[in-house]
Amino acid sequence: MNYVGKAIPREEDLRLLQGRGRYTDDVNALNQAHAYVFRSPIVHADIRSINTTAALNAPGVLAVLTGEDLKARGLGTLRPAAPGKRSDGSPGFVCTQPLLAQDRVRYAGEAIAFIVAETVAQAKDAAELIEIDFDALPVVTSVDDALAPDAYALWDDNPSNEAYTFEKGDASAVNSALSNAAHIIKHRVCVNRVAGNPMENRGCIAEYDTYEDRYTLRATVQSVHGIRQQIAGQILGIPQTQLRVICDNMGGGFGTRGGCHPEYSLSLWASEIIGRPVKWIGDRTEGIMTDEQARGGLVDCELALDADFKFLGLRTHTKVPIGAYFGNDRNLRSATGGLGGLAGVYGIPAIHAKVTGGLTNMIGNAQYRGGAKPEPVYVLEVMVDVAARELGIDPIELRRRNTVGPEQMPFTTCFGDIYDCGDFVRNFEDCLKAGNYDGVDQRRADSAANGKILGVGSSNSVTGVASTNFEHVEIRFDPSGNITLLCGAMDHGQGHGTTFKQVLGDSLGINTDKVQYRFGDTDKVAHGIGTFNARCAVFVSAAVINASEKIIAKGKRIAAHLLEAADDDIEYSDGTFTVAGTDKTISLEEVAKTAFQKPKLPADIEPGLYEHGEFGMGQGQMPTYPNGVHLAEIEIDSDTGKVELVRYTAVDDAGTILNPMLFDGQVHGGIVQGAGQIMMEDVHYDPESGQLLTGSFMDYCMPRADDFCDFNIAANEIPTARNPLGVKGVGEAGTVGAMPAVMNAINNALHRVGAAPVEMPATQEKVWHALQAAKSAA
């Protein structure tokens, strides 16, 4: 069989397009009640008193839970495993968020009460009857303000508002590079906050079974095992075997579904109280307001170059508004986990990066499409263009002068990351050719004739992925000879059921039509880490191969017994065991059937045919380094400032491609999410009141199909030796490449007409003002 590398459509697409998916809100439990969260309308205030008497007596209401009830029940809170340190060397300031606010609220939308009723409408009506006396406090939404010497302290025992400071690299080497540089480029890069906005709103169904003294949670999560571990261990304080977590289909994750949100534990607690299942489904405004938000940060940069424009060193200091609480590792990792991307493809000899997390009156931050990697790559690639503009050199030429060549592989960066393989130069030249870069001058003239300003931007990036833990799979044959493939990683649009059955088909040499793929249930799958960090194609494919090898090894012993041959004489190929040099054969299916018949097996072989496989970090295993070049062309209407993406080319090296159709889909989706942030998406808080001003799609601008051109996607497959199939991962490539390419294109266009550069999001209004200022100056 030969499945790997074929463009096979996702097996779930027809079912989902016909409305036959199983999302959280598609499921209803017998006799379920409905929950609604009463959220703080105030950004920052002490809670003087709460009166829930009228709400409790409202029609249909079954329970109204508050912070006082939470204290009585003794439920725990999430805590970061590695909080790091602050700039003075003291431990990171851990300030955990209770499931329901106690004594003080610190952002608009923080949960104050959890109302359970027969219907959602009744729960909402009851919420209107809750009486709260607030004592308003000052508001801090800007990270610059939060970390200023005279800032108002969100927590009494942390007057600086500093949650942590993280440093990476060699500060003295960078100081030396800057002191010896012929050119020093300084710039502040703005990375705005965005909301993930998956199609499916966050929600859950929770049930406590008094007979088993056991909880079940069905929820929209990216790791059922991770959520089980956190809720059981940190919130409920029970063995993990007392909690089952399920997630079937999920309408998008992108990292923002990776957290353990309060409503999951509140629903489990409420079910325990009322003795019935409890269903909670958030609405879109709740999602934008209380899902973990992403990105965000102000980055002060210094780039050192010699007289020949070779990069000597880079220094960055990122200030990140992490929200009102530092209560889990996502707050820190989302800002620090991808700093290796600052090294890029340029072989910069010295880099020092500092990240300071500032506490602000807003929801917390977390990983989002690309994890923590798009931001450092964006900073580096924007700085390359800033340097090119200030030094009067073509940004394409500046990249050519500094890019590490294939002859330098394997290459070790100044951070110690080892790029094992790749051809950054070939990617770059292939992308320029595919995008017809030589024709830019003619296209620029054509645009100008139509009252448009053409801009061209590129990015040449490399990031480390598949660097987190491991992944688990199981291959189970049943007595009929059919197979179930179980995986600990979640599928929320990646097409795992298709891709990993392709790998299984090749590994065992079988037809995959009768293979069932299962995931997302802690009672069915022994273990799993989850889906993020572009890790699944790397880890799961290798785990499938490892499990398949165990299946074949046991199968050979059974086949040898049945064919009356020595174990070493058995060969395996295309689903068939053969005695070497003979025509004596038996199929894997027949071996599997026999494996469940103990009398027909050797005495020392246990019945059944099922094996597990794992693969991941540890024992010398290293990350993979997907890389690629993206080239964007935009046109700006010189009268209105409207930005239009008119041409887009990408060449990515993701190693071996398991399924070209799904590869293209991942890159397309990533480009849209990256370009969407650059051109329109923005979480915006009022600086005075701290209220979220972009709480719906009326105000938070989401990209649509007609905002984009066709994408010209290609691949350079350079397999890595760090896993059996040579896979590097592609899930983050589109976003990592798109953000700087599109931003650089916009500022390239503005620069050509003498306008000052803009920071993301490059909205029409912002671009128009830049053009008007340039016209006035002229």
Side-chain angles (χ1 to χ4, degrees), residues 11-64:
E11 63 176 26
E12 69 267 30
D13 283 352
L14 181 61
R15 182 179 73 253
L16 298 180
L17 290 171
Q18 291 177 336
R20 295 186 289 114
R22 186 185 294 156
Y23 299 92
T24 301
D25 205 19
D26 292 325
V27 179
N28 291 294
L30 181 65
N31 197 31
Q32 73 184 11
H34 296 268
Y36 177 74
V37 183
F38 176 75
R39 302 187 182 279
S40 175
I42 305 296
V43 174
H44 196 198
D46 286 325
I47 302 174
R48 289 176 173 173
S49 64
I50 302 178
N51 187 342
T52 62
T53 302
L56 274 167
N57 293 325
V61 172
L62 303 170
V64 179

Short mmCIF file of all heavy atoms in Angstrom, two decimals, residues 11-64:
data_model
loop_
_atom_site.label_atom_id
_atom_site.label_comp_id
_atom_site.label_asym_id
_atom_site.label_seq_id
_atom_site.Cartn_x
_atom_site.Cartn_y
_atom_site.Cartn_z
N GLU A 11 -11.96 12.48 5.84
CA GLU A 11 -13.07 11.55 5.94
C GLU A 11 -14.30 12.16 6.62
O GLU A 11 -15.41 11.72 6.39
CB GLU A 11 -12.65 10.29 6.71
CG GLU A 11 -12.23 10.55 8.15
CD GLU A 11 -11.90 9.27 8.91
OE1 GLU A 11 -11.52 8.27 8.26
OE2 GLU A 11 -12.03 9.27 10.14
N GLU A 12 -14.10 13.20 7.42
CA GLU A 12 -15.23 13.77 8.15
C GLU A 12 -15.96 14.88 7.40
O GLU A 12 -17.02 15.33 7.84
CB GLU A 12 -14.76 14.31 9.51
CG GLU A 12 -13.88 15.55 9.43
CD GLU A 12 -12.40 15.23 9.41
OE1 GLU A 12 -12.03 14.16 8.90
OE2 GLU A 12 -11.62 16.05 9.91
N ASP A 13 -15.41 15.33 6.28
CA ASP A 13 -15.96 16.53 5.63
C ASP A 13 -17.42 16.37 5.23
O ASP A 13 -18.24 17.26 5.48
CB ASP A 13 -15.11 16.90 4.41
CG ASP A 13 -13.81 17.58 4.82
OD1 ASP A 13 -13.65 17.89 6.01
OD2 ASP A 13 -12.96 17.81 3.94
N LEU A 14 -17.75 15.27 4.56
CA LEU A 14 -19.13 15.09 4.10
C LEU A 14 -20.09 15.07 5.28
O LEU A 14 -21.15 15.71 5.24
CB LEU A 14 -19.25 13.80 3.29
CG LEU A 14 -20.65 13.50 2.73
CD1 LEU A 14 -21.10 14.61 1.78
CD2 LEU A 14 -20.67 12.15 2.01
N ARG A 15 -19.71 14.38 6.34
CA ARG A 15 -20.57 14.31 7.52
C ARG A 15 -20.80 15.69 8.12
O ARG A 15 -21.92 16.07 8.46
CB ARG A 15 -19.94 13.38 8.55
CG ARG A 15 -20.78 13.20 9.82
CD ARG A 15 -20.14 12.24 10.81
NE ARG A 15 -18.99 12.82 11.48
CZ ARG A 15 -17.73 12.50 11.25
NH1 ARG A 15 -17.44 11.60 10.34
NH2 ARG A 15 -16.74 13.07 11.92
N LEU A 16 -19.73 16.47 8.24
CA LEU A 16 -19.85 17.79 8.84
C LEU A 16 -20.64 18.74 7.95
O LEU A 16 -21.46 19.54 8.43
CB LEU A 16 -18.47 18.36 9.14
CG LEU A 16 -17.61 17.58 10.14
CD1 LEU A 16 -16.27 18.26 10.35
CD2 LEU A 16 -18.32 17.40 11.47
N LEU A 17 -20.40 18.67 6.64
CA LEU A 17 -21.11 19.56 5.71
C LEU A 17 -22.60 19.24 5.66
O LEU A 17 -23.42 20.11 5.34
CB LEU A 17 -20.50 19.45 4.32
CG LEU A 17 -19.09 20.07 4.16
CD1 LEU A 17 -18.49 19.70 2.82
CD2 LEU A 17 -19.14 21.57 4.34
N GLN A 18 -22.95 18.02 5.97
CA GLN A 18 -24.36 17.64 6.00
C GLN A 18 -25.00 17.89 7.37
O GLN A 18 -26.16 17.52 7.59
CB GLN A 18 -24.50 16.15 5.65
CG GLN A 18 -24.17 15.84 4.19
CD GLN A 18 -24.25 14.36 3.88
OE1 GLN A 18 -24.11 13.51 4.77
NE2 GLN A 18 -24.47 14.04 2.62
N GLY A 19 -24.26 18.52 8.27
CA GLY A 19 -24.81 18.84 9.58
C GLY A 19 -24.89 17.66 10.51
O GLY A 19 -25.68 17.66 11.47
N ARG A 20 -24.08 16.64 10.27
CA ARG A 20 -24.12 15.43 11.09
C ARG A 20 -22.93 15.33 12.04
O ARG A 20 -22.55 14.26 12.46
CB ARG A 20 -24.19 14.19 10.20
CG ARG A 20 -25.48 14.10 9.39
CD ARG A 20 -25.61 12.78 8.62
NE ARG A 20 -24.67 12.70 7.50
CZ ARG A 20 -23.66 11.83 7.45
NH1 ARG A 20 -23.44 11.00 8.45
NH2 ARG A 20 -22.86 11.82 6.39
N GLY A 21 -22.36 16.49 12.39
CA GLY A 21 -21.29 16.49 13.38
C GLY A 21 -21.85 16.34 14.77
O GLY A 21 -23.08 16.37 14.99
N ARG A 22 -20.97 16.15 15.74
CA ARG A 22 -21.39 16.06 17.14
C ARG A 22 -20.58 17.06 17.94
O ARG A 22 -19.53 16.77 18.51
CB ARG A 22 -21.21 14.65 17.68
CG ARG A 22 -21.80 14.48 19.10
CD ARG A 22 -21.49 13.10 19.65
NE ARG A 22 -22.17 12.06 18.89
CZ ARG A 22 -21.75 10.80 18.83
NH1 ARG A 22 -20.65 10.43 19.46
NH2 ARG A 22 -22.41 9.90 18.12
N TYR A 23 -21.08 18.29 17.93
CA TYR A 23 -20.47 19.36 18.73
C TYR A 23 -21.15 19.39 20.10
O TYR A 23 -22.19 18.76 20.31
CB TYR A 23 -20.61 20.69 18.00
CG TYR A 23 -19.91 20.70 16.66
CD1 TYR A 23 -20.59 20.36 15.49
CD2 TYR A 23 -18.56 21.04 16.56
CE1 TYR A 23 -19.94 20.35 14.26
CE2 TYR A 23 -17.91 21.04 15.33
CZ TYR A 23 -18.61 20.69 14.19
OH TYR A 23 -17.97 20.67 12.98
N THR A 24 -20.58 20.14 21.01
CA THR A 24 -21.10 20.12 22.38
C THR A 24 -22.58 20.48 22.44
O THR A 24 -23.37 19.81 23.13
CB THR A 24 -20.29 21.10 23.26
OG1 THR A 24 -18.92 20.70 23.25
CG2 THR A 24 -20.80 21.09 24.69
N ASP A 25 -22.98 21.50 21.70
CA ASP A 25 -24.39 21.92 21.79
C ASP A 25 -25.33 20.98 21.04
O ASP A 25 -26.55 21.11 21.14
CB ASP A 25 -24.55 23.35 21.26
CG ASP A 25 -25.77 24.04 21.85
OD1 ASP A 25 -26.27 23.57 22.90
OD2 ASP A 25 -26.22 25.05 21.27
N ASP A 26 -24.78 20.02 20.27
CA ASP A 26 -25.62 19.02 19.62
C ASP A 26 -26.07 17.94 20.59
O ASP A 26 -26.99 17.17 20.30
CB ASP A 26 -24.87 18.34 18.46
CG ASP A 26 -24.61 19.29 17.31
OD1 ASP A 26 -25.47 20.15 17.05
OD2 ASP A 26 -23.54 19.18 16.68
N VAL A 27 -25.42 17.86 21.73
CA VAL A 27 -25.67 16.80 22.70
C VAL A 27 -26.54 17.34 23.83
O VAL A 27 -26.32 18.45 24.32
CB VAL A 27 -24.35 16.25 23.26
CG1 VAL A 27 -24.60 15.16 24.30
CG2 VAL A 27 -23.48 15.72 22.12
N ASN A 28 -27.50 16.56 24.24
CA ASN A 28 -28.35 16.92 25.37
C ASN A 28 -28.44 15.72 26.30
O ASN A 28 -28.68 14.59 25.86
CB ASN A 28 -29.75 17.33 24.92
CG ASN A 28 -29.75 18.65 24.18
OD1 ASN A 28 -29.45 19.70 24.75
ND2 ASN A 28 -30.04 18.62 22.88
N ALA A 29 -28.23 15.98 27.58
CA ALA A 29 -28.32 14.91 28.57
C ALA A 29 -29.74 14.82 29.12
O ALA A 29 -30.48 15.81 29.13
CB ALA A 29 -27.35 15.18 29.72
N LEU A 30 -30.11 13.65 29.54
CA LEU A 30 -31.44 13.44 30.11
C LEU A 30 -31.61 14.28 31.37
O LEU A 30 -30.77 14.28 32.26
CB LEU A 30 -31.63 11.95 30.45
CG LEU A 30 -32.99 11.55 31.03
CD1 LEU A 30 -34.09 11.76 29.99
CD2 LEU A 30 -32.96 10.10 31.48
N ASN A 31 -32.69 15.07 31.39
CA ASN A 31 -33.05 15.87 32.57
C ASN A 31 -32.01 16.95 32.86
O ASN A 31 -31.81 17.34 34.01
CB ASN A 31 -33.22 14.97 33.80
CG ASN A 31 -33.99 15.66 34.92
OD1 ASN A 31 -34.85 16.50 34.67
ND2 ASN A 31 -33.67 15.32 36.16
N GLN A 32 -31.38 17.46 31.83
CA GLN A 32 -30.34 18.47 32.05
C GLN A 32 -30.94 19.82 32.42
O GLN A 32 -32.04 20.19 32.00
CB GLN A 32 -29.46 18.62 30.82
CG GLN A 32 -30.12 19.33 29.65
CD GLN A 32 -29.25 19.37 28.40
OE1 GLN A 32 -28.24 18.71 28.31
NE2 GLN A 32 -29.66 20.16 27.42
N ALA A 33 -30.20 20.56 33.24
CA ALA A 33 -30.52 21.95 33.55
C ALA A 33 -29.57 22.84 32.75
O ALA A 33 -28.62 22.36 32.13
CB ALA A 33 -30.37 22.20 35.04
N HIS A 34 -29.83 24.14 32.78
CA HIS A 34 -29.04 25.07 31.98
C HIS A 34 -28.43 26.14 32.88
O HIS A 34 -29.05 26.59 33.85
CB HIS A 34 -29.91 25.72 30.91
CG HIS A 34 -30.43 24.74 29.91
ND1 HIS A 34 -29.80 24.45 28.74
CD2 HIS A 34 -31.54 23.94 29.94
CE1 HIS A 34 -30.48 23.54 28.07
NE2 HIS A 34 -31.55 23.22 28.77
N ALA A 35 -27.22 26.54 32.52
CA ALA A 35 -26.48 27.50 33.34
C ALA A 35 -26.23 28.79 32.59
O ALA A 35 -26.15 28.82 31.36
CB ALA A 35 -25.16 26.89 33.80
N TYR A 36 -26.08 29.84 33.37
CA TYR A 36 -25.74 31.16 32.84
C TYR A 36 -24.77 31.81 33.82
O TYR A 36 -24.92 31.68 35.04
CB TYR A 36 -26.99 32.02 32.69
CG TYR A 36 -26.72 33.43 32.20
CD1 TYR A 36 -26.39 33.68 30.88
CD2 TYR A 36 -26.81 34.51 33.08
CE1 TYR A 36 -26.13 34.96 30.43
CE2 TYR A 36 -26.57 35.80 32.65
CZ TYR A 36 -26.22 36.01 31.32
OH TYR A 36 -25.98 37.29 30.88
N VAL A 37 -23.79 32.51 33.29
CA VAL A 37 -22.79 33.16 34.13
C VAL A 37 -23.13 34.63 34.28
O VAL A 37 -23.25 35.35 33.29
CB VAL A 37 -21.38 33.00 33.55
CG1 VAL A 37 -20.34 33.62 34.49
CG2 VAL A 37 -21.05 31.54 33.30
N PHE A 38 -23.29 35.06 35.52
CA PHE A 38 -23.43 36.49 35.78
C PHE A 38 -22.03 37.08 35.88
O PHE A 38 -21.24 36.70 36.74
CB PHE A 38 -24.20 36.74 37.07
CG PHE A 38 -24.30 38.20 37.45
CD1 PHE A 38 -25.16 39.04 36.77
CD2 PHE A 38 -23.50 38.73 38.45
CE1 PHE A 38 -25.24 40.39 37.10
CE2 PHE A 38 -23.57 40.07 38.78
CZ PHE A 38 -24.44 40.90 38.09
N ARG A 39 -21.71 37.99 34.97
CA ARG A 39 -20.36 38.53 34.85
C ARG A 39 -20.31 39.99 35.30
O ARG A 39 -21.29 40.72 35.19
CB ARG A 39 -19.88 38.39 33.41
CG ARG A 39 -19.89 36.95 32.92
CD ARG A 39 -19.24 36.80 31.55
NE ARG A 39 -19.29 35.43 31.08
CZ ARG A 39 -18.45 34.47 31.44
NH1 ARG A 39 -17.47 34.75 32.30
NH2 ARG A 39 -18.57 33.24 30.97
N SER A 40 -19.16 40.37 35.74
CA SER A 40 -19.00 41.73 36.25
C SER A 40 -19.14 42.76 35.14
O SER A 40 -18.44 42.69 34.13
CB SER A 40 -17.62 41.88 36.90
OG SER A 40 -17.41 43.23 37.29
N PRO A 41 -20.03 43.73 35.34
CA PRO A 41 -20.10 44.84 34.38
C PRO A 41 -19.03 45.89 34.66
O PRO A 41 -18.81 46.79 33.86
CB PRO A 41 -21.50 45.41 34.63
CG PRO A 41 -21.74 45.14 36.09
CD PRO A 41 -21.04 43.84 36.40
N ILE A 42 -18.36 45.76 35.82
CA ILE A 42 -17.35 46.71 36.26
C ILE A 42 -15.97 46.13 35.98
O ILE A 42 -15.73 44.93 36.15
CB ILE A 42 -17.50 47.01 37.77
CG1 ILE A 42 -18.92 47.49 38.08
CG2 ILE A 42 -16.46 48.04 38.22
CD1 ILE A 42 -19.30 48.78 37.42
N VAL A 43 -15.05 46.97 35.55
CA VAL A 43 -13.71 46.49 35.22
C VAL A 43 -12.90 46.18 36.47
O VAL A 43 -12.25 45.13 36.56
CB VAL A 43 -12.98 47.53 34.34
CG1 VAL A 43 -11.53 47.11 34.10
CG2 VAL A 43 -13.71 47.71 33.03
N HIS A 44 -12.92 47.06 37.44
CA HIS A 44 -12.06 46.90 38.62
C HIS A 44 -12.80 47.49 39.82
O HIS A 44 -13.08 48.70 39.84
CB HIS A 44 -10.73 47.62 38.40
CG HIS A 44 -9.66 47.22 39.36
ND1 HIS A 44 -8.52 47.98 39.58
CD2 HIS A 44 -9.52 46.14 40.17
CE1 HIS A 44 -7.75 47.39 40.45
NE2 HIS A 44 -8.34 46.26 40.83
N ALA A 45 -13.11 46.65 40.79
CA ALA A 45 -13.88 47.14 41.93
C ALA A 45 -13.84 46.14 43.07
O ALA A 45 -13.69 44.93 42.86
CB ALA A 45 -15.33 47.40 41.52
N ASP A 46 -13.96 46.67 44.27
CA ASP A 46 -14.21 45.82 45.43
C ASP A 46 -15.69 45.48 45.48
O ASP A 46 -16.54 46.32 45.15
CB ASP A 46 -13.80 46.52 46.72
CG ASP A 46 -12.29 46.59 46.90
OD1 ASP A 46 -11.61 45.62 46.49
OD2 ASP A 46 -11.79 47.59 47.46
N ILE A 47 -15.98 44.24 45.89
CA ILE A 47 -17.38 43.82 46.04
C ILE A 47 -17.77 44.01 47.50
O ILE A 47 -17.29 43.30 48.38
CB ILE A 47 -17.56 42.35 45.62
CG1 ILE A 47 -17.13 42.14 44.16
CG2 ILE A 47 -19.01 41.91 45.80
CD1 ILE A 47 -17.12 40.69 43.72
N ARG A 48 -18.63 44.99 47.73
CA ARG A 48 -19.05 45.25 49.11
C ARG A 48 -20.06 44.22 49.58
O ARG A 48 -20.00 43.74 50.71
CB ARG A 48 -19.64 46.65 49.21
CG ARG A 48 -18.60 47.77 49.09
CD ARG A 48 -19.29 49.12 49.09
NE ARG A 48 -18.33 50.23 49.15
CZ ARG A 48 -18.67 51.51 49.04
NH1 ARG A 48 -19.95 51.85 48.84
NH2 ARG A 48 -17.75 52.45 49.11
N SER A 49 -21.00 43.88 48.70
CA SER A 49 -22.04 42.92 49.09
C SER A 49 -22.69 42.33 47.84
O SER A 49 -22.69 42.95 46.77
CB SER A 49 -23.10 43.59 49.96
OG SER A 49 -23.79 44.60 49.22
N ILE A 50 -23.23 41.13 47.99
CA ILE A 50 -23.99 40.46 46.94
C ILE A 50 -25.28 39.92 47.56
O ILE A 50 -25.25 39.23 48.57
CB ILE A 50 -23.22 39.28 46.31
CG1 ILE A 50 -21.88 39.74 45.72
CG2 ILE A 50 -24.05 38.61 45.22
CD1 ILE A 50 -21.05 38.61 45.13
N ASN A 51 -26.40 40.24 46.93
CA ASN A 51 -27.69 39.75 47.39
C ASN A 51 -28.31 38.90 46.28
O ASN A 51 -28.65 39.42 45.21
CB ASN A 51 -28.61 40.92 47.74
CG ASN A 51 -29.91 40.44 48.38
OD1 ASN A 51 -30.28 39.28 48.28
ND2 ASN A 51 -30.60 41.36 49.06
N THR A 52 -28.43 37.60 46.53
CA THR A 52 -28.97 36.68 45.52
C THR A 52 -30.34 36.13 45.89
O THR A 52 -30.83 35.22 45.23
CB THR A 52 -28.00 35.50 45.31
OG1 THR A 52 -27.88 34.78 46.55
CG2 THR A 52 -26.63 35.98 44.85
N THR A 53 -30.96 36.68 46.93
CA THR A 53 -32.22 36.12 47.42
C THR A 53 -33.30 36.13 46.34
O THR A 53 -33.99 35.11 46.10
CB THR A 53 -32.71 36.92 48.63
OG1 THR A 53 -31.71 36.89 49.66
CG2 THR A 53 -34.00 36.32 49.19
N ALA A 54 -33.47 37.25 45.67
CA ALA A 54 -34.51 37.34 44.64
C ALA A 54 -34.21 36.38 43.49
O ALA A 54 -35.11 35.76 42.92
CB ALA A 54 -34.62 38.77 44.13
N ALA A 55 -32.95 36.26 43.14
CA ALA A 55 -32.58 35.36 42.04
C ALA A 55 -32.88 33.91 42.41
O ALA A 55 -33.37 33.13 41.58
CB ALA A 55 -31.10 35.52 41.72
N LEU A 56 -32.60 33.54 43.66
CA LEU A 56 -32.86 32.17 44.10
C LEU A 56 -34.34 31.82 44.07
O LEU A 56 -34.72 30.67 43.83
CB LEU A 56 -32.30 31.96 45.51
CG LEU A 56 -30.82 31.58 45.62
CD1 LEU A 56 -30.35 31.72 47.06
CD2 LEU A 56 -30.62 30.16 45.13
N ASN A 57 -35.17 32.83 44.30
CA ASN A 57 -36.62 32.60 44.34
C ASN A 57 -37.29 32.80 42.98
O ASN A 57 -38.51 32.68 42.87
CB ASN A 57 -37.26 33.54 45.37
CG ASN A 57 -36.83 33.19 46.80
OD1 ASN A 57 -36.64 32.02 47.12
ND2 ASN A 57 -36.67 34.21 47.63
N ALA A 58 -36.50 33.09 41.96
CA ALA A 58 -37.08 33.32 40.63
C ALA A 58 -37.55 32.00 40.03
O ALA A 58 -37.06 30.92 40.39
CB ALA A 58 -36.03 33.97 39.72
N PRO A 59 -38.53 32.05 39.12
CA PRO A 59 -39.07 30.82 38.52
C PRO A 59 -38.01 29.97 37.85
O PRO A 59 -37.16 30.48 37.11
CB PRO A 59 -40.06 31.37 37.48
CG PRO A 59 -40.44 32.72 37.98
CD PRO A 59 -39.22 33.26 38.63
N GLY A 60 -38.05 28.67 38.13
CA GLY A 60 -37.17 27.71 37.46
C GLY A 60 -35.76 27.65 37.99
O GLY A 60 -34.98 26.79 37.55
N VAL A 61 -35.38 28.50 38.91
CA VAL A 61 -33.99 28.55 39.36
C VAL A 61 -33.71 27.39 40.32
O VAL A 61 -34.47 27.12 41.24
CB VAL A 61 -33.68 29.89 40.05
CG1 VAL A 61 -32.31 29.87 40.70
CG2 VAL A 61 -33.76 31.02 39.03
N LEU A 62 -32.59 26.72 40.09
CA LEU A 62 -32.20 25.56 40.89
C LEU A 62 -31.03 25.87 41.81
O LEU A 62 -30.89 25.24 42.86
CB LEU A 62 -31.84 24.40 39.97
CG LEU A 62 -32.94 23.95 38.99
CD1 LEU A 62 -32.38 22.96 37.98
CD2 LEU A 62 -34.10 23.35 39.76
N ALA A 63 -30.17 26.80 41.41
CA ALA A 63 -29.02 27.15 42.24
C ALA A 63 -28.44 28.47 41.77
O ALA A 63 -28.48 28.79 40.58
CB ALA A 63 -27.96 26.07 42.19
N VAL A 64 -27.93 29.24 42.72
CA VAL A 64 -27.16 30.45 42.42
C VAL A 64 -25.89 30.37 43.27
O VAL A 64 -25.93 30.47 44.49
CB VAL A 64 -27.94 31.73 42.74
CG1 VAL A 64 -27.07 32.95 42.44
CG2 VAL A 64 -29.24 31.80 41.96
#
